[in-house]
Amino acid sequence: MIVNNRLTFEQYQENFADIHPPFENREGAVIEANRCIMCYDAPCIKMCPTHINIPKFIKQIATENLKGSAKTIFTDNIMGASCSKVCPVEILCEGSCVYNLLHEEPIQIARLQRYSTEKAMENNWQLFEKKTSVGKKVAVVGAGPAGLSCAFNLAKEGVEVTIFEKETKGGGLMTYGIAAYKVTPEFCEEEVKYITSIGGIDIKYNQELGKDFQLKDLQTNYDAVFLGIGVGIARQLDINGENSGGVEDAISYIHHLRTNDFSNIPVGERVAVIGLGMTAIDAATQTKRLGAKQVTIVYRRTENEKPCTDVELNIAKLDGCNLEYLAAPKEIISENGNVKTLICRRMKLGEADASGRRSPVDTGETFEIDCDMIIKAAGQTPFEDLISNFELQNSSGKVSVNSDYETNWKGVFAGGDCINGGKEVVNAAQDGKLAARSILEYILN
């Protein structure tokens, strides 16, 4: 049965508490910072998509220069506070730390980055001086990581920026699509305020591209345009029974969870989650933390081919989620219009596909999973119809850009998930930063 309010207030608070607590005091951060050996040609910098000078900001923490540390981070990644909470650091900076080669724990780079960036936000340190207006204005579509990064790097150089955002709050994926135990909506709101506090950035909410305004109007009325519209359409399963009551897509479900009190979120007693990416893990762990008694993750390959990280998978395992590998949904059986059973095909691995992972092949065998709720998290597809309507050159809905992030529309640039199909927040932040550099060159020359 799908019901809300399964747990007490105290249980919700405990289940959705910060999964990666910050340093409790200055001493803890300084001690950890002093572990860093400040590598020459540091591998952690190379593995960071925004190329933050990690040894430098850690050394600044060690010498208690917190403002300098925060500025070092924000210079390369204005979304540094968010990234300290949600980046898959185990495969990026921390995964490349030389301590791993010594079979010792890597430097806690994310916690140190969080320490200095949160201090900057808490104290509203203004670390950058906005240049005198250059008399140019740029429209940014989307107040997610790519759009905010682009807007900040433009505003810093004296450009007037207007962001058009379809939601009621900024932050994009950070605000509406991340597990609540990783980052709170309140934090995201504070981050947006901090980023825009540099001045010269105006956000217009409840403004959707193609509905409330058109791309041609922006191209006409602004010196340049940046598209950071992300992705967000859940991939369909295309099986019988998909429209039964109790079938949800993960994106919408997490969005609902992020915008409502936990006690108001309906959850099944026995939940099946389709997929094993980051979104699938977020959906599975949060339904368990909302009070679901049994959560089963269904994935058509094996653990070796999983798209999520080991750290994410371990969260699901520790939360008590079950895993069915080599299984693909075949049909949903309903009773009185509501989900009763998920019938799955038993798969085996065949030849490798274009991504290098071995493709799942149907064995002809089936098995059943009793459930009253199914969450689809089998990937996201771009806004292909919207993009095609504007005749933006694209590849299967992913906006095509040149090396300067410019689309086939003159003066219209793009970055983030809408060009890469869905990567990490840090990748979107880097796209926004680099696109801003190209836009500056375009409007000032």
Side-chain angles (χ1 to χ4, degrees):
M1 181 182 296
I2 300 176
V3 297
N4 62 351
N5 209 26
R6 286 184 176 272
L7 306 177
T8 65
F9 174 80
E10 289 75 20
Q11 287 174 315
Y12 285 124
Q13 292 297 107
E14 180 181 353
N15 288 353
F16 288 93
D18 196 334
I19 196 170
H20 299 301
F23 287 106
E24 293 183 1
N25 51 49
R26 177 185 60 81
E27 288 77 13
V30 171
I31 289 170
E32 181 62 20
N34 275 305
R35 288 183 62 226
C36 180
I37 60 176
M38 312 296 163
C39 301
Y40 171 76
D41 198 24
C44 55
I45 298 177
K46 294 179 179 179
M47 286 302 293
C48 173
T50 58
H51 306 300
I52 293 171
N53 191 332
I54 295 168
K56 179 180 178 180
F57 93 69
I58 291 178
K59 181 69 173 179
Q60 289 167 315
I61 292 174
T63 56
E64 301 192 43
N65 178 10
L66 274 189
K67 282 189 177 181
S69 176
K71 185 170 184 178
T72 296
I73 295 164
F74 287 141
T75 295
D76 288 312
N77 182 4
I78 194 58
M79 300 296 298
S82 283
C83 289
S84 71
K85 294 169 177 280
V86 303
C87 260
V89 292
E90 63 274 11
I91 59 174
L92 295 175
C93 56
E94 292 183 17
S96 67
C97 179
V98 296
Y99 273 116
N100 291 297
L101 301 176
L102 303 174
H103 305 291
E104 294 187 28
E105 286 296 313
I107 302 298
Q108 297 178 55
I109 298 170
R111 285 185 81 193
L112 290 169
Q113 181 166 312
R114 177 176 178 177
Y115 177 68
S116 57
T117 54
E118 287 193 350
K119 288 294 184 184
M121 289 172 56
E122 288 169 9
N123 295 286
N124 196 29
W125 291 337
Q126 294 304 305
L127 305 172
F128 301 91
E129 185 174 342
K130 184 177 182 293
K131 292 183 180 178
T132 304
S133 174
V134 295
K136 300 291 184 179
K137 57 181 183 177
V138 172
V140 172
V141 184
L148 289 169
S149 177
C150 182
F152 174 83
N153 284 284
L154 288 171
K156 188 173 62 165
E157 299 301 319
V159 177
E160 295 299 314
V161 181
T162 302
I163 302 178
F164 297 84
E165 169 56 48
K166 69 177 181 179
E167 300 285 357
T168 59
K169 294 180 180 179
L173 176 71
M174 290 299 304
T175 300
Y176 294 104
I178 300 287
Y181 53 75
K182 295 178 183 175
V183 58
T184 66
E186 293 77 20
F187 168 84
C188 296
E189 191 169 358
E190 288 302 313
E191 184 175 44
V192 172
K193 287 180 182 178
Y194 183 72
I195 291 171
T196 57
S197 66
I198 192 171
I201 303 174
D202 177 34
I203 304 181
K204 296 184 181 298
Y205 293 107
N206 301 304
Q207 295 293 306
E208 185 173 347
L209 177 63
K211 179 181 177 182
D212 301 297
F213 62 94
Q214 302 301 320
L215 184 57
K216 186 66 178 177
D217 297 331
L218 298 184
Q219 187 189 43
T220 301
N221 298 323
Y222 291 84
D223 296 297
V225 179
F226 176 77
L227 301 176
I229 57 176
V231 291
I233 301 175
R235 195 179 304 279
Q236 298 299 300
L237 301 177
D238 295 324
I239 61 175
N240 291 334
E242 189 168 0
N243 296 321
S244 301
V247 179
E248 304 269 359
D249 75 75
I251 300 161
S252 298
Y253 190 76
I254 294 173
H255 186 290
H256 186 55
L257 192 155
R258 296 282 292 179
T259 53
N260 289 275
D261 186 82
F262 299 132
S263 63
N264 293 329
I265 309 300
V267 65
E269 190 165 292
R270 292 164 297 146
V271 180
V273 177
I274 313 299
L276 196 54
M278 299 296 200
T279 302
I281 295 292
D282 284 356
T285 54
Q286 288 187 113
T287 52
K288 200 74 169 68
R289 292 171 187 232
L290 286 169
K293 291 185 178 179
Q294 178 179 302
V295 176
T296 304
I297 300 173
V298 178
Y299 182 52
R300 59 183 183 158
R301 291 182 169 95
T302 72
E303 183 174 332
N304 292 333
E305 291 79 33
K306 68 185 183 301
C308 71
T309 66
D310 289 338
V311 170
E312 292 290 316
L313 182 59
N314 284 338
I315 293 172
K317 289 179 177 179
L318 289 170
D319 277 0
C321 297
N322 303 317
L323 289 127
E324 277 287 353
Y325 293 111
L326 293 171
K330 178 183 180 182
E331 183 179 1
I332 296 170
I333 305 298
S334 61
E335 186 175 86
N336 299 321
N338 296 313
V339 170
K340 180 184 178 185
T341 306
L342 174 64
I343 299 179
C344 295
R345 295 184 177 93
R346 182 61 71 190
M347 313 298 283
K348 65 179 181 180
L349 292 182
E351 298 299 318
D353 62 13
S355 69
R357 294 185 298 170
R358 294 173 65 189
S359 299
V361 178
D362 190 353
T363 65
E365 299 178 19
T366 63
F367 68 97
E368 298 181 356
I369 298 175
D370 292 331
C371 53
D372 52 16
M373 186 177 194
I374 295 173
I375 299 180
K376 301 179 291 184
Q380 297 168 246
T381 59
F383 299 108
E384 191 166 359
D385 290 343
L386 176 67
I387 290 165
S388 297
N389 286 342
F390 287 119
E391 298 183 351
L392 283 162
Q393 188 175 332
N394 66 89
S395 173
S396 301
K398 292 185 289 187
V399 178
S400 300
V401 296
N402 61 20
S403 59
D404 293 323
Y405 290 86
E406 189 172 16
T407 70
N408 59 302
W409 281 50
K410 184 174 177 57
V412 177
F413 300 75
D417 287 355
C418 71
I419 72 169
N420 63 39
K423 289 188 178 181
E424 304 296 337
V425 171
V426 68
N427 298 102
Q430 177 72 350
D431 281 355
K433 179 180 72 179
L434 295 180
R437 293 177 185 174
S438 296
I439 291 171
L440 284 167
E441 186 173 341
Y442 172 80
I443 62 179
L444 296 179
N445 293 329

